Amino acid sequence: MITNDPGLEIEPLREPCLLVIFGADGDLTKRKLIPSIYNLAAAGLLPSHYAIVGLDRVPMTTAEYRDKITQALPDFAGRAVDQALWQNVRDRVHYLIGDFQNPQSYRKLQEFLAELDVESRTGGNYLFYLATLPGLFSEIARRLGEWGLTTQRHGHWRRIVFEKPFGHDLESARALNRELQRVLAENQIYRIDHYLGKETVQNILVFRFANGIFEPVWNRRYIDHVQITVAESLGVEHRGRYYEAAGALRDMVPNHVLQLLSFIAMEPPNSFDANAVRDEKAKVLRGIVPLSSLDVLRCAVYGQYGEGTLGGKPVAGYRAEPNVAADSRTETFVAMKLFIDNWRWADVPFYVRTGKRLAKRVTEIVVQFKSAPFMLFRKTAVEQLDPNVLVIRIQPDEGISLRFDAKVPGPKVRIDTVDMDFQYAKYFGNAPSTGYETLIHDCLAGDATLFQRADSIEVGWSVVQPVLDVWQSLPPPSFPNYNAGSWGPSEAHQLVRQDGRNWWSGG
Ligand code: BG6
């Protein structure tokens, strides 16, 4: 744990390497990848010998590319840019014009990397980061393989990082896994879910397994239900084209939402070794009770935002967003009730919901415990005992709070609920981070713990596949069915109310 940045308590990288970014001119590179590399450099975590090669179709020289990322950096690094430090990073960045579907680009890349590898003393270690359209993943991997760029020899490593989405349904995810596994060993494949880069998500495991008091009550005997909310106030922005084909379910549930669920519900792994953690995650996801068609109708709700008001300002409905069809039936909201069929969780509902243009941006996990028996209070003015609730706030107001009942001071027995609250910012300060630093660090270090293995990806898709199938077969829904700035369609409230419960935020 030696670093000169309190925000990044991870080991400095020792092995030299070349980082090759496919999609170097894209949004992700500008907003997340380059700023993360800078933050890693600022934390003193990058190896002495490394270089970065950006590849994209846009004609540009290396000097022009360096200028472009230099201009964008201050907006996304989350900290003041130290010019001397950035100069050192910037000088290691190179740009290559290339068409990802043209074999000649790979020949050029192979030659370029071979020279740069010698010049930069990077020891033949290459990390390819595919920040491209997902439709190109398998072709790029195959072509890299054909040009020998994925072959691991003489002690060097070759790895490929895949951004999400990984497939668009179960069948395509399986096919993609098969295609990649033809070229790469599983331990060369890093499937990113950027939620796993979030400190608060990683902390779920520490919270559960480093504290003795929670694990004994972390089961069906004491827990009434769990809620997972991933609410965004943003709309679809400029991503209409992608989102029209994806929708909220594909975009958020098999990946981010189920990652949160697996961290909350998994059994303790034997160690923090990548496979030990990933085995337990896959096991709990495999325990999710498959939804029948009838279950989908009863336990899955969808919605699309119409126009509304957010932060006092009028906002457009989804169908009026750029690149969205005027009669679009794409859902921008989904809520589901899931059960996990195992000894720990049998009969405990997991309510999950996610959506765009909701009242506020909040990602939180709410664990509601069963109420204490009431009999002691029968002869008092107390009408009911409120259950204990643990709220794990993933973002933006990162923290954890525990709600319990307390006596209101005074001669009569009166009870109110109070909160014990932990806020990250208060204890640890706000460390500048894009959430990608740990992920990039870990793929360079060869630690796949925070990346998704083929089986988890497939089991994630198999959870949502029945929902996709049933929705596809239904007549067009009457969208829009919730106002921008609200907490989603009334059916989502009904989903929990029919069980005598309420959503924690936005009831
Ligand atoms: C992405 C989705 O994976 O996650 C986006 O494609 C979504 O639609 C984003 O907005 C949410 O990420 P975060 O880190 O802002 O919660």
Side-chain angles (χ1 to χ4, degrees):
M1 305 278 175
I2 326 135
T3 134
N4 56 22
D5 186 327
L8 288 171
E9 298 276 325
I10 37 183
E11 292 283 336
L13 293 160
R14 295 185 212 296
E15 288 181 336
C17 60
L18 285 181
L19 169 60
V20 185
I21 304 174
F22 281 69
D25 195 40
D27 240 30
L28 185 78
T29 307
K30 175 173 78 178
R31 290 168 180 271
K32 304 284 187 187
L33 305 186
I34 299 291
S36 305
I37 291 163
Y38 171 75
N39 283 337
L40 285 169
L45 293 171
L46 293 179
S48 329
H49 299 290
Y50 74 94
I52 298 158
V53 180
L55 192 76
D56 218 321
R57 300 164 67 125
V58 185
M60 244 187 298
T61 62
T62 284
E64 283 163 349
Y65 185 65
R66 288 178 179 172
D67 284 348
K68 199 165 178 181
I69 56 175
T70 301
Q71 264 168 27
L73 184 64
D75 290 341
F76 302 108
R79 63 166 93 206
V81 176
D82 173 331
Q83 291 309 324
L85 180 73
W86 170 240
Q87 188 66 42
N88 182 292
V89 178
R90 178 194 153 113
D91 290 348
R92 300 167 189 250
V93 177
H94 305 265
Y95 183 79
L96 264 190
I97 306 165
D99 173 348
F100 309 150
Q101 291 179 287
N102 180 345
Q104 287 319 310
S105 301
Y106 292 81
R107 187 184 49 77
K108 216 167 71 177
L109 179 67
Q110 188 209 40
E111 288 166 6
F112 189 80
L113 294 183
E115 266 177 42
L116 187 63
D117 186 40
V118 175
E119 196 182 294
S120 312
R121 298 170 43 209
T122 40
N125 299 325
Y126 300 172
L127 178 71
F128 298 97
Y129 198 118
L130 307 198
T132 65
L133 289 176
L136 295 171
F137 288 170
S138 104
E139 180 169 357
I140 295 176
R142 180 170 49 78
R143 291 193 189 278
L144 287 173
E146 281 164 8
W147 287 90
L149 286 163
T150 54
T151 313
Q152 308 193 99
R153 266 197 230 112
H154 315 304
H156 69 226
W157 50 257
R158 302 286 163 91
R159 299 174 189 141
I160 308 189
V161 184
F162 298 88
E163 264 297 331
K164 90 171 244 290
F166 199 89
H168 59 269
D169 57 11
L170 178 58
E171 201 33 58
S172 59
R174 278 189 181 142
L176 183 52
N177 276 331
R178 272 197 307 270
E179 284 157 23
L180 298 184
Q181 284 160 350
R182 256 181 232 137
V183 188
L184 302 159
E186 181 63 31
N187 67 8
Q188 292 179 280
I189 305 176
Y190 287 71
R191 301 173 191 83
I192 284 235
D193 184 309
H194 80 277
Y195 265 55
L196 298 180
K198 294 182 192 283
E199 283 295 332
T200 42
V201 174
Q202 293 166 27
N203 186 48
I204 297 172
L205 295 191
V206 174
F207 178 79
R208 286 190 55 199
F209 302 133
N211 294 299
I213 64 168
F214 298 108
E215 207 44 32
V217 295
W218 209 256
N219 58 55
R220 63 191 299 273
R221 258 193 278 167
Y222 301 98
I223 293 181
D224 177 74
H225 75 278
V226 176
Q227 297 181 10
I228 300 178
T229 293
V230 183
E232 297 184 86
S233 53
L234 286 181
V236 72
E237 308 292 288
H238 55 280
R239 295 167 71 224
R241 195 161 290 129
Y242 154 75
Y243 203 82
E244 275 285 86
L249 182 65
R250 286 188 170 92
D251 189 40
M252 300 296 285
V253 179
N255 33 66
H256 308 327
V257 171
L258 291 187
Q259 289 301 322
L260 296 177
L261 185 142
S262 62
F263 270 25
I264 281 293
M266 69 191 260
E267 293 302 315
N270 288 342
S271 70
F272 279 126
D273 171 73
N275 273 331
V277 173
R278 300 193 301 178
D279 284 346
E280 294 305 336
K281 283 171 60 187
K283 209 156 88 188
V284 75
L285 293 181
R286 275 199 292 271
I288 294 179
V289 181
L291 298 175
S292 66
S293 306
L294 198 61
D295 294 333
V296 172
L297 297 175
R298 285 199 197 127
C299 300
V301 163
Y302 57 178
Q304 186 193 80
Y305 62 87
E307 55 187 21
T309 318
L310 249 167
K313 291 201 185 110
V315 290
Y318 175 69
R319 290 178 175 176
E321 304 276 19
N323 298 316
V324 169
D327 60 349
S328 169
R329 53 185 285 186
T330 299
E331 82 285 354
T332 60
F333 177 96
V334 47
M336 289 162 69
K337 175 162 75 164
L338 299 169
F339 288 95
I340 301 171
D341 213 4
N342 66 16
W343 192 258
R344 188 191 284 264
W345 295 115
D347 302 324
V348 177
F350 284 72
Y351 301 98
V352 304
R353 64 176 172 169
T354 180
K356 295 211 179 274
R357 279 284 189 238
L358 297 179
K360 68 173 184 192
R361 174 172 182 244
V362 57
T363 298
E364 67 190 7
I365 301 167
V366 174
V367 178
Q368 182 167 317
F369 291 87
K370 293 188 172 163
S371 296
F374 184 71
M375 82 281 186
L376 269 183
F377 299 90
R378 259 187 225 134
K379 292 190 180 146
T380 68
V382 176
E383 281 176 6
Q384 61 165 53
L385 295 179
D386 284 319
N388 297 129
V389 180
L390 180 80
V391 182
I392 303 178
R393 300 189 304 271
I394 304 293
Q395 63 187 22
D397 168 28
E398 291 86 355
I400 298 178
S401 68
L402 179 64
R403 174 159 288 194
F404 59 96
D405 289 323
K407 181 175 175 298
V408 180
K412 280 202 173 154
V413 180
R414 281 198 299 128
I415 292 183
D416 206 350
T417 50
V418 294
D419 291 325
M420 282 198 292
D421 195 27
F422 151 67
Q423 288 171 290
Y424 274 81
K426 249 197 207 157
Y427 275 81
F428 301 121
N430 279 323
S433 151
T434 67
Y436 271 72
E437 288 81 357
T438 316
L439 296 174
I440 294 180
H441 169 279
D442 286 4
C443 17
L444 292 172
D447 179 353
T449 313
L450 297 177
F451 295 83
Q452 301 208 71
R453 215 170 46 186
D455 53 345
S456 273
I457 292 269
E458 292 179 17
V459 77
W461 278 114
S462 66
V463 170
V464 300
Q465 191 62 51
V467 186
L468 291 170
D469 293 342
V470 171
W471 286 354
Q472 183 61 37
S473 67
L474 293 176
S478 53
F479 283 167
N481 62 349
Y482 71 97
N483 293 338
S486 72
W487 279 103
S490 58
E491 291 90 334
H493 301 287
Q494 203 42 39
L495 180 72
V496 289
R497 264 188 218 141
Q498 70 197 9
D499 296 345
R501 301 179 173 112
N502 280 311
W503 290 109
W504 179 254
S505 290

